[in-house]
Amino acid sequence: MNDHHQSRRKFLYNLGLAGLSIPIISANAKCNDETSNKQIMKQKQEGKLGIALVGLGGYANGQLAPALQQTEHCYLAGIVTGTPSKAIAWKEKYNLPEKNIYNYENYDSIKDNPDIDVIYIVLPNNMHAEYTIRGAKAGKHIICEKPMAITVADCDRMIAACKEAGKQLSIGYRLHFDPYNLEMKRLGQQKIYGEIKKISSGFSFVAQKGIWRLDKKMAGGGPLMDLGIYCMQGIMYTTGMEPVAVTAQTFPISDPEKFIAVEETLAWQMEMPNGLIAECRTSYSESSNFLKAEAEKGWFELQPAFNYSGLKGNTSNGAMDFPKLSQQAKQMDAFALSIKNKQQSIVPGEMGRRDVKIIEAIYQAMKTGKRVML
Ligand code: NAD
């Protein structure tokens, strides 16, 4: 027996509990589980849907789990993680019952768990398709993070799997629930300042060396997949149009060791059906975050445009001012209501697929230097 065991035995012996050590520990765990099961039962009785987060990285930990403490129509019911220490920490922090904690091997058995209605995929991009399809086969509704997948073919398989299972599929496009971005949509689509004559967007940050986002196999591409997708989205919801053709240009790589397989900086243009040409730029070695429109009778813009909070909006008529809220809480509540009301999500799998199709066209334009029709 080692020192640790001896002193522990001595301690329990002093309490007269040496022989009872194991039952005491499991009784505690059982008691905690009973409390968390009761909590879940209460949420279910209130008509809320249970969400399980798959992949407990930066976004799940920093944004989604905290947002699930603010939601009205759904709650954090479970987790799927490959890291045992995260399972212990999350169980404790969010009071989760043991039976709602899964790993990547027993993930499919989530089908037998009635506490979980929705699975939220927050894994690296190349894992989105597999975990969405397995989740749908387990009979759960799915929210999948952006970009929906790394190929259009994967998007098709994901949409088909959810259709076959009779389950809804939604993409983590949180800005469709953000008041500043919704104001851009209103001003643009309702032509409050007349026709848009010029529109541009940029989203860039400096990426650290060695992260999966720089690995083409895992990320599917570079900043276009990760950040540029917000520019594409912003242009489309502000104009209410989808591009008919794209052109694209890359620039010499500044750090060849860092950018082995993915683009470092990319500029691209989206030609809209009415002839408007949207100018976009994304980079992993610059800093930008804006969405700007100039129309016949005025201008409107966001800068920063795509953050989780602290967005700033301005127009030729003055500043925008909206109350603070959690974009992610709004997004997840809206999906829970879509499921309950049997209405399609406003950010469905089809929208995710549309965007991956545009991304593929932009990459083709980048590689060939040619204008690519959509
Ligand atoms: P992250 O690297 O912080 O987390 C990824 C998680 O996946 C980690 O918990 C990691 O352990 C897990 N994982 C499982 N298998 C893995 C593997 N083989 N390799 C690497 N990691 C593995 O990433 P993140 O920033 O949380 O991003 C996850 C997803 O969420 C991405 O698709 C990203 O685009 C998306 N995201 C969306 C937003 C948004 O605002 N909607 C913000 C950030 C990230």
Side-chain angles (χ1 to χ4, degrees):
M1 205 185 289
N2 62 27
D3 282 358
H4 170 75
H5 270 106
Q6 260 178 357
S7 59
R8 178 179 156 77
R9 240 189 122 69
K10 201 169 158 199
F11 170 68
L12 292 167
Y13 210 81
N14 287 343
L15 290 175
L17 298 170
L20 298 174
S21 60
I22 292 162
I24 283 173
I25 291 162
S26 54
N28 264 344
K30 214 170 148 194
C31 175
N32 286 342
D33 258 23
E34 265 170 31
T35 320
S36 37
N37 276 325
K38 266 191 201 149
Q39 251 183 29
I40 286 190
M41 194 77 84
K42 186 170 168 278
Q43 310 250 37
K44 280 170 88 166
Q45 277 164 357
E46 287 168 4
K48 297 182 186 174
L49 300 185
I51 295 193
L53 296 176
V54 185
L56 309 180
Y59 192 54
N61 190 42
Q63 302 300 322
L64 297 176
L68 280 164
Q69 310 309 303
Q70 298 179 39
T71 41
E72 288 171 30
H73 304 287
C74 51
Y75 63 98
L76 181 63
I79 49 173
V80 181
T81 175
T83 315
S85 59
K86 284 188 194 168
I88 295 167
W90 279 62
K91 177 176 162 52
E92 181 89 10
K93 184 167 181 188
Y94 293 110
N95 209 6
L96 297 168
E98 193 68 42
K99 68 177 173 55
N100 292 4
I101 298 175
Y102 293 84
N103 56 44
Y104 298 116
E105 283 72 47
N106 65 15
Y107 173 57
D108 307 274
S109 63
I110 216 164
K111 72 175 188 309
D112 302 317
N113 193 331
D115 291 350
I116 294 161
D117 305 285
V118 178
I119 288 176
Y120 196 148
I121 315 292
V122 210
L123 291 163
N125 305 345
N126 69 326
M127 299 173 78
H128 291 181
E130 177 190 341
Y131 283 85
T132 293
I133 293 167
R134 283 168 67 182
K137 283 192 176 146
K140 306 298 177 184
H141 300 281
I142 309 283
I143 309 176
C144 177
E145 256 317 315
K146 45 59 58 177
M148 178 172 167
I150 60 175
T151 64
V152 172
D154 275 351
C155 296
D156 286 336
R157 293 195 300 123
M158 294 158 80
I159 292 170
C162 291
K163 281 228 164 85
E164 199 171 312
K167 296 291 154 185
Q168 286 223 36
L169 170 59
S170 184
I171 309 301
Y173 286 141
R174 59 186 163 80
L175 294 177
H176 288 251
F177 307 90
D178 162 71
Y180 288 87
N181 281 274
L182 286 174
E183 180 65 353
M184 291 297 281
K185 179 177 174 179
R186 185 184 77 85
L187 295 174
Q189 292 198 18
Q190 294 184 15
K191 301 192 197 314
I192 303 297
Y193 294 99
E195 283 297 332
I196 295 175
K197 293 289 170 196
K198 230 173 133 180
I199 187 158
S200 60
S201 182
F203 194 12
S204 303
F205 63 61
V206 178
Q208 284 166 9
K209 221 176 192 157
I211 55 171
W212 65 260
R213 286 177 162 82
L214 297 175
D215 177 340
K216 177 122 192 277
K217 203 170 145 263
M218 299 194 83
L224 177 62
M225 279 271 174
D226 193 29
L227 308 176
I229 192 168
Y230 287 96
C231 306
M232 288 170 33
Q233 277 259 325
I235 301 284
M236 288 189 276
Y237 53 70
T238 303
T239 60
M241 291 184 281
E242 294 178 13
V244 290
V246 292
T247 46
Q249 306 81 39
T250 39
F251 304 89
I253 299 275
S254 70
D255 183 344
E257 273 177 43
K258 191 167 166 183
F259 299 100
I260 298 166
V262 302
E263 77 279 4
E264 177 179 353
T265 301
L266 181 74
W268 77 99
Q269 299 74 39
M270 303 199 295
E271 291 179 36
M272 297 310 201
N274 67 351
L276 177 70
I277 295 182
E279 294 285 345
C280 305
R281 185 177 175 104
T282 186
S283 172
Y284 270 158
S285 59
E286 296 175 356
S287 185
S288 66
N289 192 328
F290 68 89
L291 175 59
K292 294 182 177 179
E294 288 171 42
E296 291 164 314
K297 295 181 280 175
W299 53 268
F300 45 109
E301 64 177 41
L302 301 182
Q303 187 163 10
F306 308 123
N307 290 351
Y308 305 136
S309 60
L311 303 196
K312 287 205 167 61
N314 250 306
T315 75
S316 42
N317 269 355
M320 297 179 196
D321 186 19
F322 294 105
K324 280 191 183 148
L325 52 75
S326 161
Q327 298 164 354
Q328 291 85 357
K330 288 268 168 211
Q331 171 211 325
M332 291 186 278
D333 267 343
F335 189 50
L337 285 177
S338 299
I339 293 167
K340 290 213 279 190
N341 299 332
K342 297 192 173 19
Q343 284 167 345
Q344 198 191 39
S345 156
I346 62 160
V347 285
E350 285 75 8
M351 182 185 275
R353 180 196 189 276
R354 173 200 72 185
D355 295 350
V356 175
K357 191 174 168 209
I358 299 170
I359 288 175
E360 284 189 351
I362 295 169
Y363 279 136
Q364 202 191 333
M366 174 187 97
K367 280 189 201 118
T368 60
K370 294 199 172 120
R371 174 171 178 264
V372 174
M373 298 287 294
L374 277 149

